[in-house]
Amino acid sequence: MEIYEELVARGLIAQVTDEKEIRELINNGKATFYIGFDCTADSLTAGHFMALTLMKRLQMAGNKPVALIGGGTTMIGDPSGRTDMRKMLTKEDIDHNAACFRRQMEKFIDFSEGKALMMNNADWLLNLNYVEVLREVGACFSVNNMLRAECYKQRMEKGLSFFEFNYMIMQSYDFYYLFQHCGCNMQFGGDDQWSNMLGGTELIRKKLGKDAYAMTITLLTDSQGKKMGKTAGNAVWLDPNKTSPFDFYQYWRNVGDQDVMKCIRMLTFLPLEQINEMDTWKDQKLNEAKEILAWELTNMVHGEEAANQARDTARALFSAGGAADMPTCELAEEDLTDGKIDILSILVKAGLCPSRGEARRNVQQGGVEAAGEKVSDIAVSFDAAALKEGIVVKKGKKNFRKVILK
């Protein structure tokens, strides 16, 4: 099976502008394509997996990825999928985040010997003259068409700043610049980016001629991909200092029955023949499929040793109720009040709940255990002696921490 047909079979392609030409370029390893990553945090999340694995698949087939770091566009912020304006970051914050992204991307993409490029749109966007942009780029865009774009329509009632309104033009200019300077003939992005991406394709054709060979592909489930990046109010990061390999493994181990095969098909590199056979699995076999998904993705991000350890720890926890290398939360003496700490504070400090309010709800709904007993009273607390021995705190069926006082 050719690579384009494999992308379709894996459920990754939603819509394209020039399918015949795109198929030919990709299948013959002649595509130079870009995907943009706005650096709004100092780590990529699980929600970026679809883009990262797609770049890896296409590179393995001989195509050339351009990882575009949004050092410039991050200064504005994409309004797509937002109900309010993003927090504005300083240039120093953005540069730091961009460096973190680069280190994480190198685990997926081979940047050696010209096999891929890493670009930062701050290099061209921050030097643009405003009047020049209005004359040379703005003249190619219809405000009526822009307002019909889904990414703007959903914000009109809540309020859309002129600041954010420019994002489509900036993203379109990225493709125009990369087309001219890097031979980039294709862009990939999520389904919620379709209008922005079409803007880039149309800009190239209006400025450089109707036959300019620039094409657009949108991924089927970018909106779902962004949802993948968060769980229980917390982001699932690729940085092990922000999300431990065990927690990362557990996130994928706990995907819903209805999503596990979709995730395996889209995100792993298992052969389609094997995945098609797994499609027939039901009931208890789905748990085996979830283990496979969790191991494959943890191995990709954190390595085989960490993936094996996370799997073994999870198995020990759920079969025997404990494990020596269980994820641990260390408390200090200053975390205690009068020599004790209450269960709500423990749940928050251990990262099992993002707030005391959610911790309270979990206790009141009977979803919390500590030291082997269900906790039903939000006033329950533990003293220093118990904490020095260590207590296991459990939220729900599959979220554990060993809490210990150092």
Side-chain angles (χ1 to χ4, degrees):
M1 183 183 294
E2 301 268 26
I3 183 61
Y4 182 82
E5 285 68 31
E6 180 179 346
L7 297 181
V8 173
R10 288 183 180 273
L12 288 168
I13 305 296
Q15 50 194 341
V16 300
T17 55
D18 307 86
E19 185 172 34
K20 180 180 177 182
E21 291 83 357
I22 286 173
R23 178 188 288 111
E24 181 179 347
L25 282 174
I26 288 176
N27 286 344
N28 289 289
K30 295 180 179 179
T32 297
F33 66 96
Y34 95 88
I35 298 180
F37 300 82
D38 277 354
C39 30
T40 53
D42 58 1
S43 172
L44 297 166
T45 73
H48 291 106
F49 245 122
M50 199 170 299
L52 294 170
T53 56
L54 175 72
M55 296 174 88
K56 184 177 178 69
R57 289 183 210 283
L58 289 169
Q59 186 180 55
M60 290 169 63
N63 298 285
K64 185 175 182 177
V66 179
L68 180 62
I69 300 296
T73 42
T74 304
M75 289 192 163
I76 289 185
D78 183 4
S80 300
R82 303 280 301 184
T83 57
D84 55 4
M85 194 166 78
R86 294 182 188 274
K87 175 185 175 183
M88 294 178 66
L89 301 177
T90 66
K91 186 176 185 301
E92 291 72 23
D93 288 337
I94 293 171
D95 289 344
H96 170 73
N97 294 348
C100 294
F101 276 24
R102 174 187 290 270
R103 290 193 294 271
Q104 292 176 345
M105 287 179 181
E106 288 172 346
K107 295 183 179 180
F108 293 83
I109 304 164
D110 181 2
F111 289 99
S112 66
E113 301 175 4
K115 293 179 181 177
L117 294 175
M118 184 169 288
M119 307 288 284
N120 189 326
N121 61 20
D123 293 340
W124 54 88
L125 291 180
L126 299 188
N127 296 322
L128 289 174
N129 175 281
Y130 183 63
V131 173
E132 180 184 356
V133 172
L134 291 178
R135 288 175 59 88
E136 299 299 321
V137 181
C140 299
F141 287 81
S142 161
V143 171
N144 291 343
N145 288 340
M146 291 174 73
L147 290 175
R148 283 195 288 268
E150 194 62 36
C151 61
Y152 291 146
K153 281 169 59 179
Q154 63 190 1
R155 283 289 302 279
M156 293 305 291
E157 292 184 8
K158 296 273 187 179
L160 176 70
S161 68
F162 179 72
F163 180 65
E164 296 171 287
F165 190 64
N166 284 271
Y167 191 91
M168 180 185 290
I169 294 176
M170 294 181 74
Q171 182 172 333
S172 299
Y173 190 86
D174 283 343
F175 194 15
Y176 177 62
Y177 182 93
L178 292 172
F179 181 89
Q180 290 186 293
H181 294 86
C182 304
C184 182
N185 51 23
M186 200 175 298
Q187 60 179 332
F188 282 77
D191 53 1
D192 59 349
Q193 291 282 303
W194 182 243
S195 298
N196 292 354
M197 293 165 65
L198 283 179
T201 300
E202 290 305 310
L203 176 61
I204 291 171
R205 291 176 177 175
K206 286 178 180 178
K207 297 291 291 182
L208 303 178
K210 291 288 185 182
D211 296 329
Y213 219 44
M215 289 153 290
T216 300
I217 296 183
T218 178
L219 303 182
L220 182 61
T221 54
D222 184 71
S223 298
Q224 179 187 0
K226 288 179 178 177
K227 291 176 184 175
M228 286 178 186
K230 294 185 177 180
T231 180
N234 296 310
V236 179
W237 306 99
L238 304 195
D239 183 343
N241 295 314
K242 296 168 77 72
T243 297
S244 71
F246 175 83
D247 286 335
F248 187 84
Y249 176 95
Q250 280 300 103
Y251 173 72
W252 296 106
R253 174 62 179 79
N254 293 338
V255 299
D257 291 354
Q258 71 278 8
D259 293 326
V260 58
M261 291 312 305
K262 182 187 297 183
C263 290
I264 287 176
R265 191 175 293 276
M266 289 181 170
L267 304 178
T268 76
F269 287 80
L270 297 175
L272 282 170
E273 295 79 10
Q274 180 181 349
I275 296 173
N276 291 337
E277 180 182 343
M278 293 169 66
D279 259 334
T280 64
W281 291 4
K282 296 180 180 179
D283 303 324
Q284 188 60 32
K285 289 286 283 183
L286 281 178
N287 287 328
E288 183 179 339
K290 292 177 185 181
E291 273 200 347
I292 292 172
L293 170 68
W295 189 92
E296 290 288 336
L297 300 189
T298 306
N299 176 46
M300 232 185 286
V301 175
H302 299 298
E304 184 175 355
E305 182 178 351
N308 288 338
Q309 181 173 324
R311 181 190 58 200
D312 295 344
T313 298
R315 286 176 176 175
L317 279 170
F318 305 133
S319 63
D325 51 1
M326 182 190 307
T328 299
C329 168
E330 295 184 354
L331 299 179
E333 290 287 349
E334 53 265 32
D335 293 319
L336 277 58
T337 302
D338 296 329
K340 296 182 179 181
I341 184 170
D342 64 272
I343 187 63
L344 302 186
S345 297
I346 287 177
L347 288 167
V348 173
K349 289 183 179 296
L352 293 171
C353 293
S355 67
R356 288 181 65 86
E358 182 169 326
R360 179 189 297 269
R361 285 191 294 274
N362 276 273
V363 171
Q364 292 173 337
Q365 293 167 4
V368 174
E369 291 183 10
E373 296 184 3
K374 186 177 289 294
V375 178
S376 56
D377 184 353
I378 61 171
V380 165
S381 60
F382 298 86
D383 61 21
L387 291 166
K388 285 182 178 178
E389 292 293 327
I391 60 170
V392 175
V393 180
K394 176 181 176 184
K395 188 196 79 169
K397 294 182 178 180
K398 299 178 179 179
N399 296 297
F400 293 79
R401 287 293 186 282
K402 185 173 183 179
V403 179
I404 191 166
L405 178 64
K406 282 297 191 183

